[in-house]
Every structure is written in structure tokens, then in C-alpha cells.
Amino acid sequence: MPGGSLYPRKLKRIDQGRKGEAPFLYQNKDITSKVLAEAFKGKTFRVYGLDLPEIKAVLPTNIPAVKVNELRLDNLFELADGSAAIVDYESEYKKEDKIKYLNYLTGIANRYLREKKHCPILRMIVIYTGDIKRKQISAKYDIGAVRITLEPAFLSELDSDRIFRHLKQKVKKKEMLDDEELMYFIILPLSYRKRNEKDSKIRESVQLAVQIHDRHQQLFTLAGILAFTDKMIDAETANKIRRAIEMTKVAQIFEEEKQQALAELEEKSRQALEKAKEEKKQAIAKAKKEKKQAIAEAKKEKKRADNAEAKLHQTARESVLIMLKKNYPSEEIASIVPLFSLDDIEDMRKELAGIMIKATQHLNC
């Protein structure tokens, strides 16, 4: 788990591991620490039987007062109610461990004092692996002036086989796991009592974890298993987890780059579509404007043509009337002014004769 030293110190120190065990080096812990620190936000320890608020943040675990040759506490979390939870993991119960917890509590309180910060309510959480049952431990430590009340969790009380079958079913169906299922997943191997059962379940859990469809959940689960089981896990399985984590991280980067590229492509496509729509709109508006201008120009041209034709007709008529007054033959007039037919000229001749008769009559009167 996140926040400094991530593994159960009680199971043996790094340089004291049994032959064949994977040396969980600090740089490897940094990998899981970074993965888990962010992923733990919003999750709870409720699945382990602890009624605690949600995790708000992962806090640093270094305690200035602790001697150099002592390892740091396992985890320190800021919870949603403002309290701070020290979380430790034990595979055996020792009464003298409570002195160690007292040192943790006073060390954390002293750190807040040195930083001139208000010390929040402190909770001492101890998660016992499948080796320990509730009746074997006492949660109280009372020496008069000092009294500590632990908040223990017992993985031995989990229905491990049923939980594993449930997780396996969801992974096979490529379904997303909820937060509680993820918390079960990373702790499940430690819920078994016998060493060979733990070893077997670690391998099974890793094999199942690499099949998780969602890469973020896969990364969290692998890092969690590695963090919780580092001193029980064999070198081959531990290295398999680390390789899977690195591959998952690379794949995750590729996936993020892919999603970013798709988002950029989608944005460019949207912009291109908007540009095409705007250009089409402008083209249609331009075409309408040009059509309107063309129609208006055509009307003007027609009007000019009509006026010219009317003027030509009037001029031709005046020429015909002049020639009629001079008694030009109709055939000759038609040859000179083809705009008028012989019938038109004869009608105009009659019209002119009528006008002359009326004029004569008017003069005689």
C-alpha cells in the first residue's frame, strides 16, 4: 500500500528474506507507491470489516523520532472526516507490538508539532492476515496514564473462496470491478491461513489480475498484490507482476496517446465540418446574391431592349407616315421600312387619309 514502506515489516526485512524470495527493492516500492497513492483515494477499508470514512489522501509515513535502523510505518491515510489512520499489517500477534504502535502514534503527533500543525484524531488500524483469529488478540492497551484502542481487521473472517470465484467470474466477463471488489482482490491472498495456500493464491490472483480488461484497474490490482504480499511472494511471480505493471504502464501511455490522438482527430474533423458548413453557407449566400443581381441586370437589359425597340418602332412609323404623305407606293415603303408589312402600311394609309379628311372638314367649317 502507498505512503513510504509498503510491505509488512513483521514478515522479515529486505536483507533477511528467505532464499528464493523476491527482494522487494525500494525503487520497486516507489513504482507501486505511485500507482496506489492516487488509486486509493475515495476507497475504504469497509470490506475488511472496518467502519472507516473514505480515504481522502495518502500521507508521508516518515517519523523523525524513529531510529535510523527502524523501518517506517506501513501506511498513513487522511480520511474524509479529517482524522488520520495509521494502517499496519501483522501475520502474528504480539503484545509488545502495542509499544511499537504507541511509538507510531507519538511519532506522528510529534511530527505535526514540529511542522506547527494541528494533530488530527489518530486511528491505529491493524489488519491481521488469515493466520490470526479475533479471539487471539486484545484490542486494548492500558497502562494507566496511557491507553490505546486498536481497530483490528481479520482477513481470516473473509469467505475467500467465494470472493475469488466472484472476482474470477467478473474478470472473465470483462466487467468493471467496483471499489470493494478491487480492495478484496489485492488483499485476498493474505486471507488464507497456511503458507502454501497463500503462495498458491498469490499466483492465481496474479494470473487473474493480468486478465482484467480495464488497464487502470489491472495496474491498481497488480501493484496492490505486490505491495501486500512482497515477503511471501516468490521471485518468479514478483518479477512477473513487475513486468506486467511496466507493460501495463506502457500500454496505458499508448492508450492515453491513442485517446488523445482520437480526440484531436475528432476536434479537427469537427472543425473541418464546421468550416465546410460555413463555406457552403457562404457559397449559397453568394450564389443567391449573384442570382439576384443577374435577374436584376436581366430585367434592366430587357427594359433597355424594350425601350430601344419601342423607339425604333416609333422612328420607323414616323418614316412611314412621311412617305405616305408624299404618296410613296406601299410596296416601296415596305422595301425601305421592312419593320412594317404591306397590310400595316395600308392600314396606316387609311388612318392618315381619315385624319386628312377630318382636318379638311374642320377647315371648311
Side-chain angles (χ1 to χ4, degrees):
M1 295 181 70
S5 178
L6 301 174
Y7 60 99
R9 298 179 310 292
K10 286 60 63 179
L11 299 175
K12 283 197 178 184
R13 293 193 49 171
I14 294 172
D15 56 353
Q16 296 175 344
R18 290 183 293 274
K19 185 177 180 180
E21 290 181 334
F24 196 173
L25 302 177
Y26 284 103
Q27 56 267 37
N28 292 322
K29 292 176 182 299
D30 289 340
I31 295 173
T32 56
S33 179
K34 290 175 183 177
V35 171
L36 297 175
E38 185 64 28
F40 263 112
K41 293 179 182 178
K43 294 182 174 58
T44 74
F45 294 101
R46 196 169 294 117
V47 295
Y48 308 150
L50 294 168
D51 187 16
L52 298 176
E54 291 183 353
I55 296 170
K56 182 179 180 181
V58 178
L59 302 176
T61 56
N62 59 302
I63 303 175
V66 175
K67 296 177 182 178
V68 176
N69 62 346
E70 292 183 8
L71 294 176
R72 295 181 296 177
L73 57 87
D74 285 338
N75 300 110
L76 181 62
F77 297 101
E78 179 185 355
L79 304 182
D81 65 350
S83 63
I86 299 171
V87 181
D88 229 33
Y89 314 94
E90 302 284 6
S91 60
E92 58 181 338
Y93 173 69
K94 296 179 181 179
K95 293 182 179 179
E96 52 267 31
D97 282 340
K98 292 173 183 175
I99 303 297
K100 175 182 61 182
Y101 304 149
L102 179 59
N103 288 333
Y104 288 164
L105 294 166
T106 56
I108 292 298
N110 187 53
R111 190 179 74 185
Y112 278 102
L113 179 63
R114 291 189 180 193
E115 295 174 357
K116 297 182 179 180
K117 295 180 181 179
H118 171 73
C119 183
I121 298 296
L122 298 180
R123 299 170 179 265
M124 187 62 235
I125 312 299
V126 182
I127 298 178
Y128 290 99
T129 65
D131 311 77
I132 307 299
K133 297 185 181 300
R134 186 178 296 272
K135 63 182 180 180
Q136 294 177 250
I137 73 107
S138 171
K140 302 290 185 180
Y141 180 65
D142 188 351
I143 54 175
V146 176
R147 179 181 299 172
I148 297 176
T149 301
L150 308 180
E151 296 182 66
F154 300 90
L155 301 184
S156 60
E157 296 179 352
L158 297 180
D159 189 350
S160 306
D161 291 336
R162 183 190 63 79
I163 293 171
F164 188 79
R165 287 195 300 270
H166 172 75
L167 294 174
K168 187 174 182 179
Q169 185 178 24
K170 291 202 70 171
V171 171
K172 293 296 183 184
K173 292 181 179 180
K174 297 184 178 181
E175 296 178 359
M176 291 291 289
L177 303 175
D178 60 33
D179 284 349
E180 289 191 355
E181 289 165 339
L182 287 171
M183 294 296 281
Y184 275 132
F185 213 137
I186 64 177
I187 203 74
L188 200 61
L190 297 184
S191 65
Y192 289 84
R193 186 174 63 84
K194 296 179 181 180
R195 176 58 191 253
N196 64 333
E197 290 178 323
K198 288 186 177 71
D199 292 342
S200 175
K201 195 53 64 175
I202 288 172
R203 290 190 291 270
E204 287 185 60
S205 297
V206 171
Q207 291 172 0
L208 184 60
V210 296
Q211 300 176 47
I212 295 175
H213 184 66
D214 181 82
R215 295 198 182 278
H216 289 281
Q217 292 196 344
Q218 182 190 83
L219 188 58
F220 171 77
T221 306
L222 288 169
I225 294 172
L226 186 60
F228 275 106
T229 66
D230 68 290
K231 295 313 295 179
M232 298 180 187
I233 195 168
D234 60 82
E236 181 182 354
T237 304
N239 289 329
K240 179 180 179 181
I241 295 178
R242 294 185 188 110
R243 287 194 297 270
I245 288 175
E246 290 303 320
M247 290 177 63
T248 300
K249 286 170 70 179
V250 171
Q252 186 175 322
I253 292 172
F254 286 155
E255 182 66 21
E256 290 172 355
E257 290 178 348
K258 174 184 173 184
Q259 293 302 323
Q260 183 179 356
L262 288 174
E264 290 176 356
L265 179 61
E266 184 179 350
E267 178 61 20
K268 287 180 180 179
S269 298
R270 185 191 67 79
Q271 292 177 356
L273 181 60
E274 290 295 326
K275 184 179 179 181
K277 286 182 179 178
E278 183 61 27
E279 289 177 349
K280 180 180 178 182
K281 183 179 179 181
Q282 292 177 357
I284 291 173
K286 183 180 179 181
K288 286 182 178 179
K289 183 178 180 180
E290 291 176 348
K291 180 180 178 182
K292 186 176 180 181
Q293 290 175 343
I295 292 172
E297 188 61 33
K299 286 182 178 179
K300 288 180 181 179
E301 187 63 30
K302 185 177 183 300
K303 186 176 181 181
R304 285 194 294 267
D306 290 343
N307 290 338
E309 184 179 357
K311 187 175 181 180
L312 177 63
H313 188 275
Q314 181 62 31
T315 301
R317 179 180 172 81
E318 290 174 354
S319 297
V320 171
L321 289 174
I322 291 172
M323 285 186 284
L324 286 172
K325 288 178 181 179
K326 293 182 179 182
N327 291 320
Y328 276 55
S330 297
E331 290 80 2
E332 186 178 355
I333 295 173
S335 65
I336 296 172
V337 186
L339 190 63
F340 292 93
S341 66
L342 286 172
D343 290 339
D344 293 334
I345 294 170
E346 287 299 323
D347 289 340
M348 291 174 64
R349 189 185 295 277
K350 291 176 182 179
E351 181 182 350
L352 182 60
I355 293 173
M356 295 298 292
I357 291 173
K358 288 182 180 179
T360 302
Q361 290 174 350
H362 180 69
L363 289 173
N364 291 333
C365 293

